[in-house]
Amino acid sequence: RVTIIGAGMGGLNAAVQLKRAGIRYNVIEKNPGVGGTWHENRYPGARVDTPSRSYTNMFGVDFPYPYSYGPYAENQKYYDWVADRFDLRGDIAFNTEVRSLTWDEGAAMWEIHAEGPNGDYRLFSNAVITAVGFLSRPNVPAIEGAQAFRGESWHTARWPDDVDLRGKRIAVIGTGCTGYQLVP
């Protein structure tokens, strides 16, 4: 049995390949849906900064991308398509986080401590694939005085679905790809 941590591109790819090979697996995903970083980054203007096909697994070459550089919604459609086409959702524990991994030498098994909607639990696997990605947690800089700011603020990876910015003065900190996409 293999446990995969993360249901983004790497985790979904691992799940598809293990399923094809007939190897028992399960996936643990901290978010309520698949897509990893692309599930989280929903800010206005979010899109890939390399060709969309670069974000496609070999088994997804038939996915109909309508854009060369897909916006957030199109990227999310691809990850949902993978999960549905290969019937992976039933093997994914959503809203669940791994808290620790401990190798049991005598049993030759990983003991995985996880926390999900029904509380803490433990499971055991022969192997673990970590597919959490290096962008799975937003980097919020420590800015002096930030706690005293009375307005709304959030990281783009935690963009609220219901925010209305009309008539508001907005400040964006950062000029990387995200800032370049968001500001316009």
Side-chain angles (χ1 to χ4, degrees):
R1 180 171 201 87
V2 177
T3 295
I4 303 164
I5 305 171
M9 177 178 255
L12 292 175
N13 180 46
V16 168
Q17 301 307 328
L18 290 168
K19 188 170 195 165
R20 284 180 167 175
I23 298 171
R24 291 184 321 144
Y25 72 93
N26 62 295
V27 182
I28 298 174
E29 171 56 49
K30 70 179 170 61
N31 290 314
V34 297
T37 297
W38 286 108
H39 178 81
E40 295 177 7
N41 284 280
R42 302 164 183 235
Y43 57 87
R47 64 186 323 120
V48 296
D49 54 354
T50 57
S52 293
R53 286 288 169 209
S54 297
Y55 285 90
T56 305
N57 303 88
M58 291 303 293
F59 52 74
V61 295
D62 293 334
F63 181 78
Y65 274 116
Y67 304 96
S68 296
Y69 293 84
Y72 155 77
E74 290 303 318
N75 292 319
Q76 188 60 50
K77 282 181 189 176
Y78 172 72
Y79 294 112
D80 287 329
W81 175 84
V82 170
D84 295 336
R85 178 171 181 150
F86 297 97
D87 194 28
L88 304 177
R89 290 185 194 274
D91 299 316
I92 303 172
F94 291 106
N95 297 307
T96 302
E97 288 201 58
V98 172
R99 297 297 184 202
S100 67
L101 297 167
T102 305
W103 177 250
D104 182 336
E105 187 69 39
M109 298 282 281
W110 284 100
E111 180 180 351
I112 303 160
H113 172 214
E115 185 176 342
N118 297 321
D120 289 351
Y121 67 96
R122 297 191 189 287
L123 61 140
F124 298 87
S125 286
N126 304 98
V128 173
I129 297 173
T130 60
V132 296
F134 65 93
L135 298 175
S136 65
R137 300 278 186 212
N139 180 12
V140 180
I143 299 173
E144 186 176 335
Q147 288 73 23
F149 180 67
R150 294 186 202 195
E152 297 178 87
S153 67
W154 55 85
H155 191 283
T156 51
R158 302 293 184 257
W159 195 271
D161 290 332
D162 60 351
V163 67
D164 182 3
L165 301 178
R166 289 178 289 192
K168 295 184 179 178
R169 187 170 173 210
I170 310 299
V172 176
I173 300 172
T175 59
C177 184
T178 300
Y180 180 76
Q181 294 172 353
L182 175 68
V183 171

